[in-house]
Amino acid sequence: MTESPAVDDAHERIRTDQPHTARIWNYWLGGKDNYPVDQQAGDQIRRLHPGIGEYALADREFLGRAVRHLAGACGIRQFLDIGTGLPTADNTHEVAQRVAPESRIVYVDNDPIVLAHAEALLTSTPQGRTDYLDEDLRNVDTILEHASRTLDMSEPVALVLLGVVIFIEDDEEAYGIVRRLVDALPAGSHLVLSHTVTRPDMPDVDAAVAFWNEHGTPKLTQRTPDAVARFFDGLELLEPGVVSCNRWRPEAGDGELPAEVAMFGGVGRKA
């Protein structure tokens, strides 16, 4: 298959001499889409905080549980997944379409690494549909305009923002972006969001993030659990609220994880 010019450009934009968040995440999840520079950085971060690789697993399992719940109990059939990350097992469309084959999913990411692998995200059941947009989270209007080509914006949408607002350093900008996205969605829509947190009882996480911000790209911004909960202002938080990702409605068969990880998440409903 001949790759598109956009994919060719993505390959040219990929830096293999500098560690990258998406590839390190992929390395921690046991994937193959990473380079020695990512493995070295990932191992160094693990030495600073031995449990940090478990955040990737906790976040991934949280995604699966949230999407299954929304597609099943809540009847959501449309998903806007921004900050998609590298494809792995059980991507959003696979989980949703397993529950409801007619589900439609739009993926958004501005990472050339993800774009280069986007074909793996564009499979779909015959009844459903998937689409991919190479765009920055900050460009809300462009995202919404493109999403409306696949999604019916008059019907409920699940907005998925896993580990992506951590790349927006300014608090008010980050809250404003999420608010604009949620405001554009109809009643009955849901926000699924996760975020790395900083807490006094997890100082090694701060050290690991500091190491990353010195050596890697893009830079990360930690927030307290209360600051993460603020992203859900005005929404009806589903139980158990904003908690460690592995504590959000755990299921039999989930991976063995610590009591808490420094990746918190929640799901909120727009009334």
Side-chain angles (χ1 to χ4, degrees), residues 157-199:
V157 174
L159 171 63
V160 180
L161 299 170
L162 294 197
V164 62
V165 290
I166 61 175
F167 301 121
I168 307 295
E169 180 178 7
D170 182 80
D171 285 344
E172 293 311 311
E173 182 184 11
Y175 294 126
I177 288 170
V178 175
R179 189 159 47 246
R180 287 177 62 199
L181 286 164
V182 171
D183 285 349
L185 303 179
S189 294
H190 290 70
L191 169 65
V192 182
L193 183 144
S194 69
H195 198 297
T196 304
V197 299
T198 178
R199 288 198 327 192

Side-chain angles (χ1 to χ4, degrees), residues 12-191:
E12 293 176 1
R13 288 157 53 199
I14 294 173
R15 294 281 303 272
T16 61
D17 60 336
Q18 190 174 45
H20 193 283
T21 304
R23 298 194 308 246
I24 291 178
W25 209 252
N26 177 264
Y27 172 55
W28 285 335
L29 283 171
K32 299 179 180 178
D33 297 313
N34 50 77
Y35 297 93
V37 67
D38 308 303
Q39 298 161 18
Q40 292 163 11
D43 290 340
Q44 177 62 32
I45 292 170
R46 266 205 187 109
R47 283 191 285 273
L48 291 169
H49 179 50
I52 201 164
E54 295 165 331
Y55 300 177
L57 177 59
D59 196 46
R60 198 70 187 177
E61 291 181 344
F62 167 63
L63 170 66
R65 294 194 302 272
V67 171
R68 276 192 296 275
H69 177 76
L70 293 176
C74 301
I76 300 296
R77 297 294 179 264
Q78 305 188 113
F79 295 81
L80 176 56
D81 186 337
I82 306 176
T84 303
L86 280 165
T88 59
D90 282 346
N91 301 294
T92 298
H93 73 285
E94 294 168 321
V95 177
Q97 291 180 347
R98 204 173 293 142
V99 176
E102 69 273 24
S103 297
R104 295 185 169 209
I105 296 87
V106 174
Y107 290 108
V108 181
D109 207 302
N110 71 332
D111 190 330
I113 301 162
V114 180
L115 175 59
H117 294 269
E119 284 185 4
L121 295 170
L122 294 177
T123 59
S124 175
T125 58
Q127 306 96 313
R129 184 177 171 188
T130 63
D131 193 12
Y132 181 89
L133 173 63
D134 180 25
E135 191 56 80
D136 190 285
L137 169 64
R138 295 174 178 85
N139 297 328
V140 172
D141 292 339
T142 301
I143 290 172
L144 292 170
E145 190 278 330
H146 183 95
S148 67
R149 302 175 193 174
T150 299
L151 310 179
D152 180 352
M153 303 303 276
S154 68
E155 295 292 328
V157 174
L159 171 63
V160 180
L161 299 170
L162 294 197
V164 62
V165 290
I166 61 175
F167 301 121
I168 307 295
E169 180 178 7
D170 182 80
D171 285 344
E172 293 311 311
E173 182 184 11
Y175 294 126
I177 288 170
V178 175
R179 189 159 47 246
R180 287 177 62 199
L181 286 164
V182 171
D183 285 349
L185 303 179
S189 294
H190 290 70
L191 169 65

